[in-house]
Amino acid sequence: MKRRKVLSYLRRRRLDTRLHFTLIDPDKAGPGEAAEIARIAREAGTDAILVGGSLGVYEPRLGEVVEAAKEASGLPVILFPGNLNGLTPRADAVLFMVLLNSEDPYYLSGVQVQAAPVVAAMGLEPIPTSYIIVGHGGAAGFVGKARPIPYEYPEIVAAHALAGAFTGASLVYLEAGSGAPRPVPPEAVAMSRRLLDKTGFDDVLIVVGGGVRDPSTARRLAEAGADALVTGTLAEEDPGKLASLIEAFKSG
Ligand code: 1GP
């Protein structure tokens, strides 16, 4: 494994454009659907495919979904695991996450200790990621026993983002939860961006996801300073709408 190959790709690409990631949940899409979503997403301008979910992820189906998405898109496939069962050697990298506002030590250090030797043995590139659950939180928030940060407290989100960066994260992922009725507020993104830049952590990528379904929301998040947007539900339900969403985010 070449160290940090996928992270370097993301950082390099970010110099030219904001990034878009398409999330495929193997509990909802099999290899055939994954290939179709990945192909459309690639044409729509997505930069990488995330594969993962909170429940119902198992081998060999996970590996088959990863393989199908990779083949159809030619893009890096990055695992987005809810637990140890979300790992497969067939991916390029893994978001190696600490769920920063979990109340359960398992999601703060327990699962990482279990996963680290497996990630190493699989030859997966770990991308150090602080995962921060905001507002609704979705299944990820519930399963990860998070204490979601209320939508009304952008300064608490920003404090988490800083703490993530100061403890070594390359990515800070602000998550409202898949299918959330409200996305992460742009104010929370803007405040995180401001503090990261002010403290010299301007190379930390802010990833935002959960409940973003329309171009104007995507544009507001871009204007607030998000580096990457993750789209899952829309990609599964209405992939034809990805192109305008991605265009709005990247030009915002
Ligand atoms: C979920 O942030 C992602 O982890 C994507 O959310 O399914 O709402 O696009 P959506």
Side-chain angles (χ1 to χ4, degrees):
M1 176 198 8
K2 206 167 135 227
R3 205 169 163 255
R4 310 227 139 169
K5 200 169 152 226
V6 177
L7 181 59
S8 304
Y9 158 79
L10 297 177
R11 287 200 167 130
R12 222 173 30 247
R13 208 144 162 68
R14 177 65 185 99
L15 298 175
D16 297 332
T17 175
R18 282 193 192 83
L19 306 171
H20 182 268
F21 304 150
T22 298
L23 171 64
I24 298 175
D25 183 344
D27 187 37
K28 301 190 180 118
E33 291 153 299
E36 183 64 3
I37 294 169
R39 188 187 57 74
I40 297 171
R42 164 77 194 236
E43 278 166 18
T46 204
D47 300 289
I49 308 290
L50 300 188
V51 174
S54 299
L55 292 171
V57 177
Y58 60 95
E59 285 279 41
R61 181 174 158 112
L62 170 63
E64 289 161 10
V65 166
V66 164
E67 206 70 60
K70 204 192 304 199
E71 241 179 73
S73 68
L75 293 169
V77 176
I78 305 170
L79 298 172
F80 177 48
N83 213 323
L84 286 172
N85 56 328
L87 298 174
T88 173
R90 293 160 92 171
D92 299 295
V94 54
L95 295 186
F96 200 86
M97 298 186 282
V98 171
L99 205 175
L100 214 55
N101 54 332
S102 177
E103 295 197 299
D104 186 341
Y106 178 75
Y107 292 103
L108 293 168
S109 69
V111 71
Q112 292 81 2
V113 172
Q114 293 289 326
V118 179
V119 166
M122 287 181 173
L124 285 166
E125 174 186 334
I127 301 179
T129 302
S130 275
Y131 193 45
I132 298 160
I133 307 271
V134 179
H136 184 275
F142 183 80
V143 173
K145 297 183 192 159
R147 196 154 61 110
I149 304 166
Y151 288 113
E152 295 74 19
Y153 294 104
E155 68 278 11
I156 301 182
V157 176
H160 279 70
L162 272 191
F166 291 179
T167 49
S170 302
L171 263 61
V172 164
Y173 189 150
L174 308 180
E175 170 74 274
S178 189
R182 260 178 80 189
V184 172
E187 303 74 47
V189 176
M191 203 174 279
S192 302
R193 179 79 280 155
R194 222 169 25 247
L195 290 180
L196 287 170
D197 290 353
K198 195 175 139 195
T199 50
F201 285 79
D202 47 323
D203 60 337
V204 171
L205 300 174
I206 299 181
V207 180
V208 181
V212 182
R213 304 171 147 271
D214 63 277
S216 63
T217 305
R219 189 184 302 274
R220 275 201 299 280
L221 290 166
E223 285 164 359
D227 296 291
L229 173 65
V230 181
T231 307
T233 307
L234 189 73
E236 272 157 22
E237 291 176 359
D238 208 347
K241 290 196 175 149
L242 274 178
S244 54
L245 188 91
I246 295 173
E247 153 73 16
F249 183 68
K250 291 199 174 189
S251 64

